[in-house]
Amino acid sequence: MEQTLGQVSRYVYPFTAIVGQDEMKLALILNAVNPKLSGVLIRGEKGTAKSTAVRALAALLPENRVVADCPFGCDPDDITTMCSSCRERRMRGETLPVVTRKMRVVDLPVSATEDRVVGTLDLEEAIKKGEKRFEPGVLAEANRGILYVDEVNLLDDHIVDVLLDAAAMGVNTVEREGVSFTHPANFILVGTMNPEEGELRPQLLDRFGLCVQIAGILDPAQRVEVVRRRIAFEEDPAGFCAAWEAEQEKLRQQILAARKILPRVQVPEKMLYLIAEIAIEMGVDGHRADLVMLKAAKTNAALNGRTEVTEADIRETANLALLHRMRRKPFQEIAFDEAKLSAVLGHTHPHTHSHSHVHAHQVR
């Protein structure tokens, strides 16, 4: 039995083998294509494949080239995102040592202190020798990886603020007694929570780019498929992963292609007005919703190999951008008004995912 457990832990359940949960998969993939979406909050009951999906995404994504001796795993090919130390070495003409490593998932424990998250500065060293000695924290470890916060609603509000700031800015700055240190902190932020254990403050909710509400699957055939696949994976992880490798590679290439297409994606004026109209009709506060809807629609277009945003892109991603931003009365559940969106879009048919290739991985 021990051998089997060891075997299973070496293998990660394939992303494309996850049954259903299409919105969660789409939200994760959009963030993998475009980290500027500022992460995703996955709300749902326990046992709905939330953490399985996050680890599966990391295993699916291509490996990173990193500077071997850099605590932040800087990109050796991009001087603009390097830490000050790597940049100085490059400027001096030094050849930086390079290794490739798998995409990391860094877990943030609920009990984490601010120092553990942002890192610490040794003030004594700074005062005595004028040198900045920095002890990296979780944000340094997560640079160019995935930062996974389970039960984000149970974290201290201040720490959630710090995480969201770093996710939005792509850098982490630590200041102590007038001494400051900045390093890159580009990561895909994934927070999960069970709403029964308490909500996040609306200000914090709004800062997550996308939000998904998931529940257990109610279709008996799909539930049977969930169990069947899980058992097959546990009994023969290597064989199961091999059987899904072609699907995995297809999606991997789709993500890589989308990253290249994304900077070229155009948004017609008509689509900008449609986004504004949806935001007004859905009763969202502020302008962040419009921006996120725009970014998500552009990313969805790139994922489908197109360089122009269509109404289908907005339809497919609007609920991910708006679910957690719609005004609601105290104690009212977070919910998305599908009928209202259809009315704005001038359609009567329910929300579908017909355009997204990502959703091809259904029960087979």
Side-chain angles (χ1 to χ4, degrees):
M1 186 63 195
E2 276 176 32
Q3 188 195 350
T4 320
L5 281 174
Q7 270 185 323
V8 172
S9 64
R10 265 214 324 275
Y11 293 94
V12 176
Y13 192 86
F15 189 86
T16 48
I18 295 169
V19 176
Q21 308 300 12
D22 289 343
E23 288 200 330
M24 172 173 72
K25 289 191 287 199
L26 180 61
L28 288 168
I29 289 167
L30 292 175
N31 270 282
V33 173
N34 182 6
K36 289 195 169 71
L37 279 169
S38 300
V40 56
L41 176 65
I42 305 171
R43 300 162 47 87
E45 58 212 33
K46 296 210 180 304
T48 41
K50 298 191 292 281
S51 62
T52 300
V54 177
R55 293 182 203 294
L57 179 71
L60 172 78
L61 295 177
E63 295 193 335
N64 283 332
R65 276 167 53 82
V66 301
V67 177
D69 52 3
C70 171
F72 313 110
C74 281
D75 182 347
D77 308 310
D78 184 1
I79 199 160
T80 61
T81 60
M82 280 180 185
C83 68
S84 51
S85 165
C86 286
R87 195 177 300 127
E88 282 161 20
R89 289 164 69 188
R90 257 291 281 277
M91 300 292 222
R92 287 200 302 267
E94 201 180 311
T95 305
L96 300 172
V98 177
V99 290
T100 53
R101 72 170 186 214
K102 284 191 163 75
M103 178 64 110
R104 278 184 178 171
V105 179
V106 177
D107 290 280
L108 182 74
V110 170
S111 59
T113 59
E114 187 182 351
D115 279 352
R116 175 75 192 95
V117 174
V118 301
T120 50
L121 269 170
D122 187 337
L123 287 177
E124 217 175 304
E125 200 77 10
I127 294 159
K128 275 190 193 161
K129 302 182 184 169
E131 284 175 17
K132 289 183 191 175
R133 189 195 281 171
F134 178 70
E135 190 61 47
V138 171
L139 293 178
E141 248 178 279
N143 186 39
R144 303 182 66 217
I146 295 172
L147 181 57
Y148 178 52
V149 190
D150 192 16
E151 301 188 313
V152 65
N153 50 327
L154 304 183
L155 261 187
D156 183 75
D157 276 0
H158 173 62
I159 290 186
V160 180
D161 257 334
V162 168
L163 290 180
L164 291 162
D165 274 342
M169 307 291 294
V171 293
N172 173 40
T173 302
V174 184
E175 286 185 15
R176 295 282 181 275
E177 316 288 333
V179 181
S180 78
F181 184 87
T182 299
H183 71 78
N186 280 303
F187 51 83
I188 299 169
L189 177 65
V190 184
T192 58
M193 60 176 278
N194 184 348
E196 290 168 6
E197 292 165 356
E199 283 292 353
L200 268 178
R201 283 192 296 126
Q203 301 92 304
L204 295 177
L205 265 179
D206 181 45
R207 302 269 304 280
F208 275 94
L210 307 179
C211 178
V212 191
Q213 182 87 36
I214 59 171
I217 297 167
L218 298 176
D219 174 57
Q222 281 202 315
R223 284 185 82 103
V224 167
E225 191 60 22
V226 169
V227 174
R228 192 180 283 144
R229 287 186 193 178
R230 191 71 220 184
I231 295 295
F233 172 70
E234 285 177 13
E235 286 175 354
D236 178 14
F240 188 83
C241 290
W244 283 89
E245 192 42 48
E247 290 283 351
Q248 293 276 95
E249 188 53 32
K250 203 161 89 186
L251 183 51
R252 194 174 290 126
Q253 291 308 322
Q254 193 183 342
I255 290 168
L256 285 171
R259 285 177 182 173
K260 290 194 179 113
I261 295 167
L262 184 60
R264 306 202 305 273
V265 176
Q266 301 296 311
V267 187
E269 190 84 352
K270 198 168 77 176
M271 294 300 131
L272 288 173
Y273 274 93
L274 182 59
I275 285 169
E277 207 180 312
I278 291 170
I280 294 163
E281 280 299 314
M282 295 306 230
V284 291
D285 295 316
H287 299 279
R288 193 175 270 136
D290 307 51
L291 280 168
V292 177
M293 262 196 285
L294 175 65
K295 285 181 192 171
K298 283 176 77 169
T299 311
N300 197 65
L303 192 60
N304 290 289
R306 285 182 277 103
T307 54
E308 187 169 289
V309 167
T310 64
E311 192 181 296
D313 295 313
I314 297 170
R315 169 174 280 281
E316 270 169 39
T317 56
N319 58 329
L320 299 175
L322 298 180
L323 175 69
H324 52 315
R325 293 192 168 94
M326 296 195 302
R327 282 187 216 124
R328 61 190 198 284
K329 299 179 186 77
F331 308 113
Q332 189 184 349
E333 283 289 303
I334 285 189
F336 186 71
D337 193 335
E338 209 59 78
K340 202 185 253 188
L341 176 67
S342 287
V344 181
L345 290 166
H347 293 302
T348 50
H349 59 266
H351 180 77
T352 58
H353 292 292
S354 57
H355 288 262
S356 207
H357 305 165
V358 175
H359 302 294
H361 315 296
Q362 278 307 328
V363 175
R364 326 200 275 193

